[in-house]
Amino acid sequence: QSKLSGFDIPGDGWCCPLTWLNLSSNNLGVGESALEIVALLKNDVLALTSLDLSNNGLRNDDENFVQVLSHSLATNNQLVELNLKQNRFSNSFLRSLLRHLNRQPTKLAFLHIDCDESAQMEAHRDGWNCFLAVGRAERLKHYLRGSARPNVSTDSLGLNNSVGALNIEDEGGHRSDSSLYIQGPSHDSQHAASSTILATGQARPETEHAEKTTRIVRPRRPAPSQGNMLTVLFSAPLVYKDSKSHMFQPIEMLDFELERELLWQCFKEATRDIELSFDNATTDRLQAAMTKSCACLHFSGHGHPQYLTFEDGKGGLQMLNVRELRNLITNGVEGGGAPFKFVFVSACHSGLAGQTFADAGVPHVVCCQQESQLMDSAALAFTRAFYLALAIGRTVKDSFEIGRQAVAVSPTVSQPDVEMKKFVLLPEDGNHHVPVFNADPVSEWPKQPSRTLLPAGMSRRDVMRRMGSSRDFSSHFNAAAEQPPLPTTPQGFLGREIEMYHILNAFLTKPIKRLVSLVGMAGIGRSSLASALCHYINDRKSTMFFETIFYIRAQPGRGNDRMGSVIHPLHKRLVAAGKAASLPRGTDIDDITQSIFKALSHMKALIVFDRLEVLDGSEEAQEFPLFLSQLFQETKNVMVLMTSNNKMGIPSLGGVDERVFELRPLNLKNTVRLFGMLCPYIHTGDERRRLVEELVDYEEAHKYAYDDTISHRSRSILRLLGEGIPSRTYGVAYNMTPEEFGGLKELGVLDVSDEDE
């Protein structure tokens, strides 16, 4: 047995050499697995120093678990830290466990567990503080006695005779929050008040034993300089509500993917130890950036002369005026200082917002002139050159001028001399001859594990994007990869912002709809919309309800597999994500569905079943509603989005009603925009804009081919381009000849009245 472990074990017993075990989020609450693992702690069979059983759905249904846990801890000399957070333990469990452990003390020093903030629990919190003090003092005493440093003795620290007076101050090595994270120095109640450390990290008032108290500060984990951090907030609301008509109006989606790629490339080329993180721009996330002392902020969104545009967390628009923005960024700033060291407001008409940041004390602000609207190509050219210079340590002023010169010489910017002057550096009288970043060079950015360790089918950049941050790549890339792959949104997806908003709010706004059907004719864009919605949600997991998205595209069944179109693929996706166990071939369908329900029972997930019309006429079509009914009964936080030609039409599935959205064709403007993006005879953004101006009458931009009031000219254009059916527009664009394209352009300049029809 000693050969198995790799260590020479004295005596006949075997000890596992593993010291740190993280079993968080593995559904160990089902069955006896957790109990067996805890039992292995007895007599140090598992010689762990840290065990993480958090978020496993563990319960305290019987006294047996308390007895096994307390006995295992009492006979264990190795375990330092135990994490039981985010389980389903009651306050009575905490009381019972403390009662058992007081009869048989342990050497446990740190315990993470949830409890409420009631006055009754406050007393037990003090009891836990006292209890854990013994383990902590013993650990420290053992460490100092075994130290090779000749000048350190336990006597000099007062550990031999006055263990109860030892005061240990948390300096950031362990997190501290409102949950019960307990530290303490003394098991003896008469010494408890002298040195108990609360969850806030503040020491209680000391008693008469204070003269014996020695403070030992745990070293802080090395952290990056706060100046070497850039938080990028993207604002992409889907709709706004018109103040006159009170109707939702769409907001064209910006190409943030291109800007994100550009920023990534800048910092990768600079190869400096700088943290780059991405988040969606809500007021909550802006406050979070300030709370985390992020020194540099990049805000990208739609411009407005009087407001800075945020998202409201549900796809809608939230506009902050100057006063609201000033209050947001100045209140609660530590020490009353500036909220950021540097801010870049990448939006049209952003001069007023930029001045607000400058007035709040931000020493360096880059924005756009208040009366100007930036070209996308100019903004991208400036951003790339500016951040590359800034990242390698150039001053703000130098970087700003380098960015403006990049616009001046860019081949993709029309009127570059005009565009370069739209960028403004504030305050105008500020000292910008200083760098923002002072970061060391690194061999590769971001710091990351070997490519061979990356999840299958994922690039390093994919992992970073799902994480949202470049920092701690090597330790967190597995967590980032938990999101199963999503289908790529087709090229040219546009014009569906209102539909996306309504579907999203069916899931997020009370009364919440757990089952949504998106129906429409073939080629109308159901799958594209579902894919785009999933990506929109996935980029906003910090503010939205969903933790995971499973996208299942139905395929025609094969052979005798009566559930092979959607049920088996869902189970395979859960297995691939590590949420369900693999089952042998030929497993009964009931066992497969139970495995799915078990895996999803504690998840906040969105499941998309796409193209369900392939089930029509099959046996699976008859059993699928029953599967959904059981799914809704067995889970609480699982939402389902279905796409098909027709609605399911069943009044209630497991107590859940079906919400139906019928997808209509694109309007005139969006049909022309889509055609312009796909047509091989149109090459630049300017050409696309001119095509829309030539073919789309402003008064009829939002009309459809079936509208009675649409003009003959507009109806003719829609018919020629596929009548607003995206799949037809794709075909028209790719098959159109140069002569036909010329005829379309001529139609744009004709003034044909309805009487000539």
Side-chain angles (χ1 to χ4, degrees):
Q1 290 180 350
S2 64
K3 292 180 180 179
L4 291 175
S5 68
F7 293 87
D8 293 326
I9 306 297
D12 298 329
W14 175 77
C15 179
C16 174
L18 186 67
T19 59
W20 185 83
L21 181 59
N22 185 348
L23 293 173
S24 175
S25 306
N26 277 284
N27 287 328
L28 298 179
V30 179
E32 302 293 331
S33 300
L35 196 63
E36 294 293 336
I37 293 169
V38 169
L40 286 174
L41 294 173
K42 293 180 182 178
N43 302 315
D44 299 328
V45 174
L46 273 181
L48 300 174
T49 59
S50 177
L51 175 60
D52 189 345
L53 295 175
S54 62
N55 194 27
N56 272 292
L58 301 178
R59 304 170 181 267
N60 52 294
D61 294 332
D62 54 49
E63 190 72 4
N64 188 37
F65 185 87
V66 176
Q67 294 176 351
V68 171
L69 178 59
S70 58
H71 183 63
S72 296
L73 294 176
T75 58
N76 184 287
N77 293 309
Q78 301 295 325
L79 192 66
V80 176
E81 182 178 37
L82 177 62
N83 190 346
L84 296 174
K85 287 176 69 69
Q86 295 180 316
N87 286 296
R88 300 184 176 183
F89 297 129
S90 64
N91 291 338
S92 61
F93 167 82
L94 296 176
R95 292 192 294 268
S96 179
L97 180 60
L98 179 61
R99 186 174 62 253
H100 280 81
L101 291 177
N102 276 330
R103 294 198 294 264
Q104 40 190 2
T106 79
K107 292 185 178 180
L108 186 68
F110 300 97
L111 176 64
H112 305 261
I113 199 164
D114 298 312
C115 74
D116 61 32
E117 300 294 332
S118 65
Q120 184 181 15
M121 283 308 300
E122 184 64 25
H124 290 283
R125 184 190 298 271
D126 289 342
W128 276 107
N129 278 325
C130 295
F131 171 78
L132 291 174
V134 173
R136 182 173 301 219
E138 287 295 319
R139 297 287 178 192
L140 195 59
K141 204 161 53 168
H142 175 76
Y143 169 76
L144 294 177
R145 282 174 174 167
S147 174
R149 292 171 293 176
N151 295 329
V152 177
S153 70
T154 54
D155 289 336
S156 65
L157 293 175
L159 292 176
N160 288 335
N161 301 318
S162 185
V163 172
L166 180 65
N167 189 342
I168 303 174
E169 178 177 307
D170 192 339
E171 280 294 315
H174 292 267
R175 62 183 178 270
S176 177
D177 51 34
S178 59
S179 299
L180 184 59
Y181 171 63
I182 301 178
Q183 304 171 202
S186 175
H187 179 59
D188 187 349
S189 60
Q190 66 178 340
H191 297 294
S194 67
S195 53
T196 298
I197 305 299
L198 301 179
T200 59
Q202 297 177 344
R204 290 180 179 273
E206 299 178 346
T207 65
E208 66 272 9
H209 300 277
E211 67 276 7
K212 297 182 180 181
T213 298
T214 301
R215 173 169 294 180
I216 298 177
V217 179
R218 188 188 305 110
R220 184 185 297 273
R221 179 180 180 271
S225 168
Q226 293 179 345
N228 296 328
M229 302 166 63
L230 175 66
T231 295
V232 182
L233 298 182
F234 289 109
S235 176
L238 298 168
V239 299
Y240 71 95
K241 180 173 284 189
D242 187 90
S243 59
K244 295 180 179 179
S245 66
H246 301 289
M247 300 289 292
F248 287 112
Q249 300 297 329
I251 301 175
E252 293 182 8
M253 300 182 69
L254 300 175
D255 190 0
F256 289 138
E257 190 59 39
L258 181 60
E259 189 171 359
R260 175 157 40 188
E261 174 75 13
L262 183 146
L263 288 169
W264 170 276
Q265 289 295 340
C266 287
F267 287 92
K268 184 174 180 64
E269 185 174 353
T271 58
R272 296 299 195 273
D273 189 16
I274 299 172
E275 178 180 353
L276 176 65
S277 63
F278 299 92
D279 209 339
N280 57 303
T282 64
T283 53
D284 288 343
R285 301 317 299 163
L286 176 59
Q287 286 181 315
M290 294 167 55
T291 301
K292 293 184 292 186
S293 299
C294 174
C296 303
L297 173 71
H298 180 100
F299 181 96
S300 184
H302 288 277
H304 191 282
Q306 298 175 334
Y307 300 93
L308 193 60
T309 59
F310 288 82
E311 300 177 17
D312 66 359
K314 297 181 179 180
L317 172 67
Q318 180 182 6
M319 297 194 297
L320 264 62
N321 59 32
V322 171
R323 179 183 57 81
E324 293 168 331
L325 178 61
R326 181 176 60 249
N327 291 339
L328 176 64
I329 62 179
T330 55
N331 291 335
V333 177
E334 184 177 2
F340 300 99
K341 183 165 65 175
F342 163 77
V343 172
F344 188 157
V345 186
S346 180
C348 302
H349 312 292
S350 56
L352 196 59
Q355 188 62 54
T356 303
F357 279 105
D359 291 343
V362 178
H364 314 292
V365 179
V366 175
C367 57
C368 173
Q369 289 179 348
Q370 179 65 18
E371 66 278 5
S372 298
Q373 184 168 352
L374 276 174
M375 291 181 59
D376 292 341
S377 56
L380 293 175
F382 178 90
T383 300
R384 188 187 192 287
F386 173 80
Y387 273 115
L388 179 59
L390 201 66
I392 64 176
R394 300 292 291 270
T395 67
V396 177
K397 180 64 175 178
D398 287 347
S399 302
F400 180 77
E401 294 301 333
I402 290 171
R404 295 215 304 177
Q405 287 304 312
V407 176
V409 299
S410 174
T412 62
V413 178
S414 60
Q415 296 183 309
D417 292 339
V418 176
E419 291 296 319
M420 67 175 289
K421 295 177 181 178
K422 294 180 180 179
F423 295 94
V424 179
L425 180 59
L426 300 174
E428 294 181 354
D429 57 350
N431 177 21
H432 303 297
H433 296 285
V434 293
V436 167
F437 297 121
N438 183 23
D440 296 329
V442 292
S443 58
E444 190 172 13
W445 184 93
K447 297 178 180 179
Q448 53 197 252
S450 168
R451 180 177 293 277
T452 59
L453 297 178
L454 293 172
M458 294 188 66
S459 68
R460 289 167 173 158
R461 187 174 305 140
D462 291 335
V463 173
M464 196 287 299
R465 284 180 52 203
R466 293 184 184 184
M467 291 169 58
S469 173
S470 60
R471 178 66 58 184
D472 295 334
F473 190 102
S474 59
S475 60
H476 293 293
F477 77 102
N478 279 330
E482 288 183 358
Q483 170 57 48
L486 299 172
T488 303
T489 304
Q491 177 188 2
F493 176 80
L494 52 80
R496 298 300 192 186
E497 293 85 3
I498 294 178
E499 291 88 344
M500 289 176 62
Y501 175 80
H502 285 308
I503 294 174
L504 181 62
N505 278 266
F507 292 129
L508 299 180
T509 305
K510 294 181 179 181
I512 291 173
K513 299 295 183 182
R514 296 182 62 191
L515 176 62
V516 173
S517 289
L518 180 61
V519 302
M521 62 184 294
I524 199 70
R526 293 175 281 121
S527 298
S528 299
L529 193 154
S531 173
L533 181 64
C534 289
H535 283 284
Y536 190 85
I537 294 172
N538 193 48
D539 287 338
R540 290 158 177 78
K541 286 185 176 178
S542 61
T543 56
M544 289 191 177
F545 173 84
F546 303 104
E547 298 171 347
T548 310
I549 305 170
F550 297 98
Y551 197 104
I552 310 299
R553 181 161 290 169
Q555 302 292 336
R558 298 179 180 178
N560 296 324
D561 190 353
R562 60 189 177 92
M563 300 297 277
S565 298
V566 290
I567 307 304
H568 280 162
L570 174 58
H571 184 259
K572 291 179 181 178
R573 196 59 59 84
L574 287 166
V575 171
K579 305 298 184 182
S582 179
L583 299 176
R585 184 183 298 272
T587 300
D588 185 77
I589 190 62
D590 291 336
D591 293 333
I592 295 175
T593 55
Q594 287 303 313
S595 177
I596 292 173
F597 300 151
K598 176 183 175 182
L600 294 172
S601 59
H602 301 300
M603 294 175 62
K604 295 178 180 178
L606 172 64
I607 304 177
V608 179
F609 293 112
D610 188 21
R611 300 180 181 176
L612 288 180
E613 62 269 15
V614 303
L615 305 183
D616 291 348
S618 68
E619 184 178 355
E620 190 170 358
Q622 301 176 6
E623 298 193 15
F624 184 67
L626 178 61
F627 168 80
L628 287 181
S629 179
Q630 291 180 290
L631 174 67
F632 292 132
Q633 290 175 349
E634 297 289 338
T635 64
K636 292 183 179 180
N637 297 311
V638 173
M639 315 291 182
V640 173
L641 173 62
M642 305 186 302
T643 76
S644 182
N645 289 340
N646 300 292
K647 63 182 181 180
M648 186 168 289
I650 299 177
S652 178
L653 292 169
V656 174
D657 297 329
E658 178 186 17
R659 176 70 181 273
V660 180
F661 291 94
E662 183 173 1
L663 198 57
R664 300 191 299 176
L666 295 174
N667 60 33
L668 174 62
K669 180 180 179 180
N670 288 325
T671 300
V672 175
R673 288 178 59 212
L674 177 59
F675 172 81
M677 296 181 67
L678 303 173
C679 180
Y681 310 118
I682 302 177
H683 307 289
T684 67
D686 285 340
E687 291 178 350
R688 296 186 185 98
R689 280 189 289 269
R690 285 198 297 269
L691 181 71
V692 173
E693 292 171 357
E694 292 171 2
L695 298 184
V696 179
D697 188 317
Y698 176 80
E699 297 296 332
E700 299 196 323
H702 301 291
K703 291 186 178 181
Y704 301 88
Y706 51 78
D707 282 340
D708 295 335
T709 58
I710 193 170
S711 69
H712 170 63
R713 172 180 173 275
S714 297
R715 181 179 284 112
S716 298
I717 293 172
L718 275 170
R719 286 175 178 172
L720 185 60
L721 299 183
E723 296 186 314
I725 309 300
S727 63
R728 297 180 188 175
T729 306
Y730 273 77
V732 170
Y734 289 124
N735 295 317
M736 180 172 282
T737 65
E739 293 75 19
E740 290 172 333
F741 180 68
L744 176 64
K745 297 276 286 184
E746 290 179 3
L747 184 60
V749 299
L750 293 177
D751 184 14
V752 183
S753 64
D754 288 348
E755 288 77 14
D756 295 329
E757 186 173 353

